Short mmCIF file of all heavy atoms in Angstrom, two decimals:
data_model
loop_
_atom_site.label_atom_id
_atom_site.label_comp_id
_atom_site.label_asym_id
_atom_site.label_seq_id
_atom_site.Cartn_x
_atom_site.Cartn_y
_atom_site.Cartn_z
N MET A 230 31.60 48.48 17.84
CA MET A 230 30.86 47.23 17.81
C MET A 230 31.39 46.43 16.58
O MET A 230 31.54 47.00 15.52
CB MET A 230 29.37 47.54 17.63
CG MET A 230 28.55 46.30 17.45
SD MET A 230 26.80 46.54 17.28
CE MET A 230 26.78 47.00 15.55
N VAL A 231 31.66 45.17 16.83
CA VAL A 231 32.07 44.29 15.73
C VAL A 231 31.06 43.20 15.64
O VAL A 231 30.71 42.56 16.65
CB VAL A 231 33.45 43.70 16.00
CG1 VAL A 231 33.84 42.72 14.90
CG2 VAL A 231 34.50 44.78 16.11
N PHE A 232 30.56 42.97 14.45
CA PHE A 232 29.57 41.93 14.21
C PHE A 232 30.09 41.01 13.10
O PHE A 232 30.50 41.50 12.03
CB PHE A 232 28.24 42.61 13.75
CG PHE A 232 27.15 41.67 13.40
CD1 PHE A 232 26.38 41.06 14.41
CD2 PHE A 232 26.84 41.35 12.10
CE1 PHE A 232 25.35 40.17 14.12
CE2 PHE A 232 25.83 40.50 11.77
CZ PHE A 232 25.04 39.91 12.76
N ILE A 233 30.06 39.71 13.35
CA ILE A 233 30.52 38.75 12.36
C ILE A 233 29.36 37.76 12.13
O ILE A 233 28.83 37.21 13.09
CB ILE A 233 31.78 37.99 12.83
CG1 ILE A 233 32.89 38.98 13.12
CG2 ILE A 233 32.20 36.97 11.82
CD1 ILE A 233 34.08 38.35 13.83
N LYS A 234 29.05 37.54 10.85
CA LYS A 234 27.91 36.67 10.53
C LYS A 234 28.38 35.60 9.53
O LYS A 234 29.08 35.95 8.59
CB LYS A 234 26.78 37.51 9.95
CG LYS A 234 25.56 36.72 9.54
CD LYS A 234 24.55 37.63 8.85
CE LYS A 234 24.59 37.25 7.36
NZ LYS A 234 23.78 37.82 6.48
N TRP A 235 27.98 34.40 9.76
CA TRP A 235 28.26 33.33 8.80
C TRP A 235 26.96 33.02 8.06
O TRP A 235 25.90 32.83 8.70
CB TRP A 235 28.69 32.04 9.52
CG TRP A 235 30.13 31.96 9.80
CD1 TRP A 235 31.04 31.24 9.13
CD2 TRP A 235 30.85 32.66 10.86
NE1 TRP A 235 32.29 31.41 9.65
CE2 TRP A 235 32.21 32.24 10.74
CE3 TRP A 235 30.52 33.53 11.85
CZ2 TRP A 235 33.16 32.74 11.59
CZ3 TRP A 235 31.48 33.98 12.73
CH2 TRP A 235 32.79 33.61 12.58
N ASP A 236 26.99 33.02 6.74
CA ASP A 236 25.81 32.76 5.95
C ASP A 236 26.07 31.49 5.15
O ASP A 236 26.72 31.49 4.12
CB ASP A 236 25.54 33.91 5.00
CG ASP A 236 24.21 33.77 4.26
OD1 ASP A 236 23.63 32.66 4.26
OD2 ASP A 236 23.77 34.78 3.67
N GLY A 237 25.57 30.36 5.64
CA GLY A 237 25.80 29.09 5.03
C GLY A 237 25.09 28.87 3.69
O GLY A 237 25.39 27.88 2.98
N GLU A 238 24.17 29.75 3.34
CA GLU A 238 23.39 29.54 2.11
C GLU A 238 24.18 30.04 0.88
O GLU A 238 23.89 29.66 -0.21
CB GLU A 238 22.07 30.25 2.18
CG GLU A 238 21.18 29.58 3.26
CD GLU A 238 19.78 30.13 3.23
OE1 GLU A 238 19.39 30.75 2.25
OE2 GLU A 238 19.05 29.90 4.23
N ARG A 239 25.14 30.93 1.10
CA ARG A 239 25.94 31.44 -0.09
C ARG A 239 27.07 30.49 -0.39
O ARG A 239 27.62 29.86 0.49
CB ARG A 239 26.50 32.82 0.26
CG ARG A 239 25.43 33.88 0.34
CD ARG A 239 26.05 35.22 0.49
NE ARG A 239 26.36 35.45 1.89
CZ ARG A 239 26.78 36.61 2.40
NH1 ARG A 239 26.99 37.64 1.60
NH2 ARG A 239 27.00 36.71 3.69
N ASP A 240 27.43 30.44 -1.63
CA ASP A 240 28.55 29.59 -2.09
C ASP A 240 29.90 30.25 -1.87
O ASP A 240 30.92 29.57 -1.69
CB ASP A 240 28.42 29.20 -3.57
CG ASP A 240 27.22 28.24 -3.78
OD1 ASP A 240 26.91 27.49 -2.83
OD2 ASP A 240 26.64 28.32 -4.84
N SER A 241 29.95 31.55 -1.93
CA SER A 241 31.22 32.29 -1.70
C SER A 241 30.88 33.56 -0.89
O SER A 241 29.77 33.98 -0.76
CB SER A 241 31.87 32.68 -3.05
OG SER A 241 31.04 33.57 -3.74
N ASN A 242 31.96 34.13 -0.30
CA ASN A 242 31.82 35.29 0.57
C ASN A 242 30.75 34.99 1.65
O ASN A 242 29.83 35.79 1.87
CB ASN A 242 31.43 36.54 -0.25
CG ASN A 242 32.51 36.98 -1.10
OD1 ASN A 242 33.71 36.81 -0.79
ND2 ASN A 242 32.21 37.49 -2.27
N ARG A 243 30.93 33.86 2.33
CA ARG A 243 29.94 33.42 3.28
C ARG A 243 29.99 34.11 4.63
O ARG A 243 29.11 33.88 5.46
CB ARG A 243 30.11 31.91 3.49
CG ARG A 243 29.79 31.15 2.22
CD ARG A 243 30.11 29.69 2.30
NE ARG A 243 29.69 29.13 3.59
CZ ARG A 243 29.58 27.84 3.80
NH1 ARG A 243 29.86 26.96 2.87
NH2 ARG A 243 29.19 27.39 4.98
N LYS A 244 31.03 34.90 4.88
CA LYS A 244 31.10 35.59 6.16
C LYS A 244 30.97 37.09 5.94
O LYS A 244 31.50 37.62 4.97
CB LYS A 244 32.43 35.26 6.81
CG LYS A 244 32.56 33.79 7.11
CD LYS A 244 33.98 33.44 7.45
CE LYS A 244 34.18 31.95 7.52
NZ LYS A 244 34.53 31.37 6.24
N THR A 245 30.31 37.79 6.82
CA THR A 245 30.17 39.23 6.79
C THR A 245 30.78 39.84 8.05
O THR A 245 30.51 39.39 9.13
CB THR A 245 28.69 39.65 6.71
OG1 THR A 245 28.11 39.03 5.53
CG2 THR A 245 28.57 41.18 6.63
N VAL A 246 31.63 40.83 7.85
CA VAL A 246 32.26 41.54 8.95
C VAL A 246 31.69 42.98 8.90
O VAL A 246 31.73 43.64 7.86
CB VAL A 246 33.81 41.61 8.83
CG1 VAL A 246 34.39 42.48 9.89
CG2 VAL A 246 34.38 40.17 8.90
N LEU A 247 31.16 43.42 10.03
CA LEU A 247 30.63 44.74 10.18
C LEU A 247 31.24 45.39 11.40
O LEU A 247 31.19 44.81 12.48
CB LEU A 247 29.09 44.65 10.31
CG LEU A 247 28.34 45.93 10.58
CD1 LEU A 247 28.32 46.81 9.32
CD2 LEU A 247 26.92 45.63 11.03
N ILE A 248 31.84 46.56 11.22
CA ILE A 248 32.38 47.32 12.32
C ILE A 248 31.77 48.70 12.33
O ILE A 248 31.77 49.36 11.31
CB ILE A 248 33.96 47.42 12.23
CG1 ILE A 248 34.56 46.02 12.14
CG2 ILE A 248 34.52 48.21 13.37
CD1 ILE A 248 36.06 46.02 11.84
N GLU A 249 31.22 49.11 13.46
CA GLU A 249 30.61 50.41 13.63
C GLU A 249 31.06 51.03 14.92
O GLU A 249 31.49 50.32 15.84
CB GLU A 249 29.07 50.31 13.68
CG GLU A 249 28.38 49.81 12.45
CD GLU A 249 26.90 49.81 12.64
OE1 GLU A 249 26.37 48.87 13.26
OE2 GLU A 249 26.24 50.78 12.21
N LYS A 250 31.00 52.34 14.97
CA LYS A 250 31.22 53.04 16.25
C LYS A 250 30.01 53.91 16.54
O LYS A 250 29.73 54.89 15.82
CB LYS A 250 32.48 53.91 16.18
CG LYS A 250 32.76 54.59 17.54
CD LYS A 250 34.10 55.24 17.56
CE LYS A 250 34.35 55.77 18.97
NZ LYS A 250 35.60 56.44 19.08
N PRO A 251 29.21 53.54 17.56
CA PRO A 251 27.99 54.28 17.87
C PRO A 251 28.37 55.76 18.13
O PRO A 251 29.42 56.08 18.65
CB PRO A 251 27.49 53.60 19.16
CG PRO A 251 28.04 52.21 19.06
CD PRO A 251 29.37 52.34 18.40
N GLY A 252 27.47 56.64 17.68
CA GLY A 252 27.69 58.04 17.86
C GLY A 252 28.48 58.66 16.74
O GLY A 252 28.77 59.87 16.77
N THR A 253 28.92 57.87 15.77
CA THR A 253 29.64 58.37 14.60
C THR A 253 29.00 57.83 13.37
O THR A 253 28.10 56.98 13.42
CB THR A 253 31.14 57.96 14.64
OG1 THR A 253 31.20 56.52 14.35
CG2 THR A 253 31.79 58.26 15.93
N GLU A 254 29.49 58.26 12.23
CA GLU A 254 28.98 57.76 10.93
C GLU A 254 29.88 56.67 10.40
O GLU A 254 29.73 56.24 9.29
CB GLU A 254 28.85 58.91 9.94
CG GLU A 254 27.78 59.91 10.33
CD GLU A 254 27.54 60.93 9.28
OE1 GLU A 254 27.99 60.75 8.11
OE2 GLU A 254 26.94 61.98 9.62
N TYR A 255 30.87 56.21 11.21
CA TYR A 255 31.81 55.20 10.77
C TYR A 255 31.11 53.86 10.54
O TYR A 255 30.37 53.43 11.38
CB TYR A 255 32.96 55.02 11.75
CG TYR A 255 33.90 53.96 11.31
CD1 TYR A 255 34.81 54.19 10.31
CD2 TYR A 255 33.84 52.67 11.82
CE1 TYR A 255 35.70 53.22 9.85
CE2 TYR A 255 34.67 51.67 11.37
CZ TYR A 255 35.62 51.93 10.39
OH TYR A 255 36.44 50.95 9.94
N LEU A 256 31.41 53.23 9.39
CA LEU A 256 30.90 51.93 9.10
C LEU A 256 31.90 51.19 8.16
O LEU A 256 32.31 51.74 7.14
CB LEU A 256 29.54 52.02 8.41
CG LEU A 256 28.96 50.71 7.89
CD1 LEU A 256 28.62 49.79 8.98
CD2 LEU A 256 27.75 51.00 7.03
N PHE A 257 32.25 49.99 8.54
CA PHE A 257 33.04 49.12 7.67
C PHE A 257 32.26 47.83 7.50
O PHE A 257 31.87 47.23 8.50
CB PHE A 257 34.44 48.82 8.34
CG PHE A 257 35.28 47.79 7.59
CD1 PHE A 257 36.14 48.22 6.60
CD2 PHE A 257 35.15 46.44 7.83
CE1 PHE A 257 36.90 47.28 5.90
CE2 PHE A 257 35.91 45.53 7.15
CZ PHE A 257 36.80 45.96 6.17
N ARG A 258 31.98 47.42 6.26
CA ARG A 258 31.28 46.17 6.00
C ARG A 258 31.88 45.50 4.82
O ARG A 258 32.14 46.15 3.80
CB ARG A 258 29.81 46.47 5.75
CG ARG A 258 28.98 45.21 5.50
CD ARG A 258 27.60 45.51 5.04
NE ARG A 258 26.81 44.32 4.92
CZ ARG A 258 26.84 43.46 3.93
NH1 ARG A 258 27.66 43.65 2.94
NH2 ARG A 258 26.03 42.39 3.92
N LYS A 259 32.09 44.22 4.98
CA LYS A 259 32.66 43.47 3.83
C LYS A 259 32.27 41.98 3.96
O LYS A 259 32.28 41.43 5.05
CB LYS A 259 34.20 43.59 3.87
CG LYS A 259 34.85 43.17 2.59
CD LYS A 259 36.30 43.64 2.54
CE LYS A 259 36.68 43.97 1.18
NZ LYS A 259 38.05 44.43 1.03
N ASP A 260 31.91 41.42 2.80
CA ASP A 260 31.63 39.97 2.72
C ASP A 260 32.91 39.29 2.27
O ASP A 260 33.62 39.78 1.43
CB ASP A 260 30.49 39.72 1.73
CG ASP A 260 29.18 40.31 2.16
OD1 ASP A 260 28.92 40.36 3.35
OD2 ASP A 260 28.41 40.73 1.28
N THR A 261 33.17 38.11 2.87
CA THR A 261 34.48 37.46 2.59
C THR A 261 34.43 35.96 2.87
O THR A 261 33.54 35.48 3.52
CB THR A 261 35.54 38.08 3.51
OG1 THR A 261 36.83 37.54 3.12
CG2 THR A 261 35.29 37.85 4.93
N ASP A 262 35.47 35.30 2.39
CA ASP A 262 35.71 33.94 2.80
C ASP A 262 36.97 33.88 3.65
O ASP A 262 37.25 32.87 4.27
CB ASP A 262 35.93 33.02 1.54
CG ASP A 262 34.65 32.74 0.85
OD1 ASP A 262 33.60 32.49 1.51
OD2 ASP A 262 34.60 32.77 -0.40
N ASP A 263 37.74 34.97 3.72
CA ASP A 263 38.96 35.07 4.50
C ASP A 263 38.71 36.01 5.68
O ASP A 263 39.06 37.16 5.63
CB ASP A 263 40.12 35.55 3.62
CG ASP A 263 41.46 35.51 4.33
OD1 ASP A 263 41.48 35.25 5.54
OD2 ASP A 263 42.44 35.77 3.62
N ILE A 264 38.08 35.46 6.73
CA ILE A 264 37.73 36.30 7.88
C ILE A 264 38.91 36.94 8.56
O ILE A 264 38.83 38.11 8.99
CB ILE A 264 36.92 35.42 8.90
CG1 ILE A 264 36.22 36.28 9.95
CG2 ILE A 264 37.75 34.40 9.60
CD1 ILE A 264 34.86 36.68 9.58
N GLU A 265 40.03 36.26 8.64
CA GLU A 265 41.22 36.77 9.29
C GLU A 265 41.73 38.07 8.59
O GLU A 265 42.01 39.07 9.21
CB GLU A 265 42.32 35.73 9.28
CG GLU A 265 43.18 35.74 10.52
CD GLU A 265 44.14 34.53 10.47
OE1 GLU A 265 43.66 33.40 10.67
OE2 GLU A 265 45.34 34.80 10.32
N ALA A 266 41.79 37.99 7.24
CA ALA A 266 42.31 39.12 6.47
C ALA A 266 41.38 40.32 6.58
O ALA A 266 41.76 41.45 6.69
CB ALA A 266 42.51 38.71 5.02
N VAL A 267 40.06 40.02 6.52
CA VAL A 267 39.10 41.16 6.55
C VAL A 267 38.99 41.75 7.94
O VAL A 267 38.84 42.98 8.04
CB VAL A 267 37.72 40.66 6.04
CG1 VAL A 267 36.62 41.71 6.29
CG2 VAL A 267 37.79 40.37 4.57
N LEU A 268 39.11 40.97 8.98
CA LEU A 268 39.16 41.55 10.31
C LEU A 268 40.40 42.50 10.44
O LEU A 268 40.30 43.57 10.96
CB LEU A 268 39.24 40.48 11.38
CG LEU A 268 37.90 39.88 11.77
CD1 LEU A 268 38.09 38.66 12.70
CD2 LEU A 268 37.00 40.90 12.42
N ALA A 269 41.57 42.07 9.97
CA ALA A 269 42.75 42.89 9.99
C ALA A 269 42.53 44.16 9.17
O ALA A 269 42.89 45.27 9.58
CB ALA A 269 43.96 42.12 9.49
N GLU A 270 41.91 44.04 8.01
CA GLU A 270 41.60 45.17 7.14
C GLU A 270 40.65 46.14 7.84
O GLU A 270 40.85 47.37 7.84
CB GLU A 270 41.00 44.69 5.83
CG GLU A 270 40.67 45.80 4.89
CD GLU A 270 39.99 45.29 3.60
OE1 GLU A 270 40.03 44.11 3.32
OE2 GLU A 270 39.40 46.14 2.91
N GLY A 271 39.60 45.61 8.47
CA GLY A 271 38.67 46.45 9.22
C GLY A 271 39.30 47.17 10.35
O GLY A 271 39.02 48.35 10.59
N ILE A 272 40.15 46.50 11.09
CA ILE A 272 40.80 47.12 12.26
C ILE A 272 41.76 48.27 11.74
O ILE A 272 41.79 49.34 12.30
CB ILE A 272 41.57 46.13 13.08
CG1 ILE A 272 40.56 45.20 13.80
CG2 ILE A 272 42.51 46.74 14.11
CD1 ILE A 272 41.16 43.95 14.40
N ALA A 273 42.45 48.00 10.65
CA ALA A 273 43.35 49.05 10.06
C ALA A 273 42.52 50.21 9.58
O ALA A 273 42.90 51.37 9.73
CB ALA A 273 44.18 48.45 8.93
N ASP A 274 41.37 49.93 8.96
CA ASP A 274 40.49 51.02 8.49
C ASP A 274 39.98 51.85 9.63
O ASP A 274 39.95 53.06 9.58
CB ASP A 274 39.35 50.39 7.70
CG ASP A 274 38.46 51.44 7.03
OD1 ASP A 274 38.94 52.04 6.03
OD2 ASP A 274 37.35 51.68 7.54
N TYR A 275 39.56 51.18 10.72
CA TYR A 275 39.08 51.90 11.92
C TYR A 275 40.19 52.75 12.47
O TYR A 275 39.97 53.94 12.80
CB TYR A 275 38.60 50.86 12.93
CG TYR A 275 38.07 51.42 14.21
CD1 TYR A 275 36.76 51.63 14.37
CD2 TYR A 275 38.90 51.81 15.25
CE1 TYR A 275 36.18 52.18 15.57
CE2 TYR A 275 38.43 52.31 16.44
CZ TYR A 275 37.06 52.51 16.58
OH TYR A 275 36.58 53.05 17.77
N ASP A 276 41.36 52.19 12.57
CA ASP A 276 42.53 52.90 13.11
C ASP A 276 42.82 54.13 12.23
O ASP A 276 43.06 55.23 12.76
CB ASP A 276 43.72 51.96 13.19
CG ASP A 276 44.95 52.62 13.83
OD1 ASP A 276 44.78 53.17 14.95
OD2 ASP A 276 46.02 52.55 13.24
N ALA A 277 42.82 53.98 10.93
CA ALA A 277 43.09 55.10 10.04
C ALA A 277 41.97 56.18 10.15
O ALA A 277 42.30 57.38 10.17
CB ALA A 277 43.20 54.62 8.63
N TYR A 278 40.76 55.79 10.28
CA TYR A 278 39.64 56.73 10.37
C TYR A 278 39.70 57.54 11.61
O TYR A 278 39.47 58.75 11.57
CB TYR A 278 38.32 55.91 10.27
CG TYR A 278 37.09 56.81 10.20
CD1 TYR A 278 36.59 57.15 8.94
CD2 TYR A 278 36.41 57.23 11.32
CE1 TYR A 278 35.45 57.98 8.84
CE2 TYR A 278 35.27 57.98 11.22
CZ TYR A 278 34.79 58.35 10.00
OH TYR A 278 33.62 59.14 9.90
N PHE A 279 40.01 56.90 12.69
CA PHE A 279 40.01 57.62 14.00
C PHE A 279 41.42 58.00 14.46
O PHE A 279 41.57 58.58 15.57
CB PHE A 279 39.34 56.76 15.06
CG PHE A 279 37.84 56.62 14.86
CD1 PHE A 279 37.29 55.47 14.33
CD2 PHE A 279 37.00 57.68 15.13
CE1 PHE A 279 35.95 55.32 14.11
CE2 PHE A 279 35.65 57.57 14.89
CZ PHE A 279 35.12 56.41 14.39
N HIS A 280 42.43 57.70 13.66
CA HIS A 280 43.84 58.08 14.00
C HIS A 280 44.21 57.64 15.42
O HIS A 280 44.70 58.40 16.17
CB HIS A 280 44.05 59.57 13.81
CG HIS A 280 43.62 60.10 12.50
ND1 HIS A 280 44.31 59.85 11.38
CD2 HIS A 280 42.55 60.86 12.15
CE1 HIS A 280 43.68 60.42 10.35
NE2 HIS A 280 42.62 61.05 10.82
N THR A 281 43.99 56.36 15.74
CA THR A 281 44.26 55.91 17.10
C THR A 281 45.63 55.29 17.28
O THR A 281 45.92 54.91 18.41
CB THR A 281 43.18 54.83 17.48
OG1 THR A 281 43.23 53.79 16.55
CG2 THR A 281 41.80 55.43 17.50
N SER A 282 46.44 55.22 16.25
CA SER A 282 47.78 54.65 16.39
C SER A 282 48.64 55.55 17.25
O SER A 282 48.48 56.79 17.24
CB SER A 282 48.45 54.42 15.11
OG SER A 282 47.90 53.34 14.40
N THR A 283 49.63 54.93 17.96
CA THR A 283 50.56 55.74 18.78
C THR A 283 51.88 55.79 18.07
O THR A 283 52.24 54.98 17.26
CB THR A 283 50.70 55.17 20.14
OG1 THR A 283 51.11 53.80 20.06
CG2 THR A 283 49.45 55.31 20.96
#
């Protein structure tokens, strides 16, 4: 599950990226202003955690 939230009330780090996998304890959460970089970081983290690369 990937959840992206925009928080317009904050001056910085206005976006939150949350990645979870139900049935596991995996959780990636980061506040950012650079959504593209954090999504790439979250996907790489997920890949490393579950060793899904071929």
Side-chain angles (χ1 to χ4, degrees):
M230 176 180 80
V231 177
F232 177 79
I233 303 171
K234 179 186 109 178
W235 275 257
D236 188 346
E238 294 188 15
R239 291 187 276 188
D240 291 330
S241 64
N242 294 327
R243 294 173 44 163
K244 299 165 190 89
T245 301
V246 174
L247 175 72
I248 302 173
E249 293 183 281
K250 183 171 183 179
T253 71
E254 293 186 17
Y255 178 77
L256 173 66
F257 175 89
R258 181 188 186 280
K259 196 165 213 180
D260 296 326
T261 185
D262 286 319
D263 187 352
I264 193 93
E265 215 174 291
V267 170
L268 278 172
E270 180 183 344
I272 291 166
D274 186 73
Y275 181 95
D276 186 50
Y278 187 90
F279 291 104
H280 309 288
T281 57
S282 287
T283 55

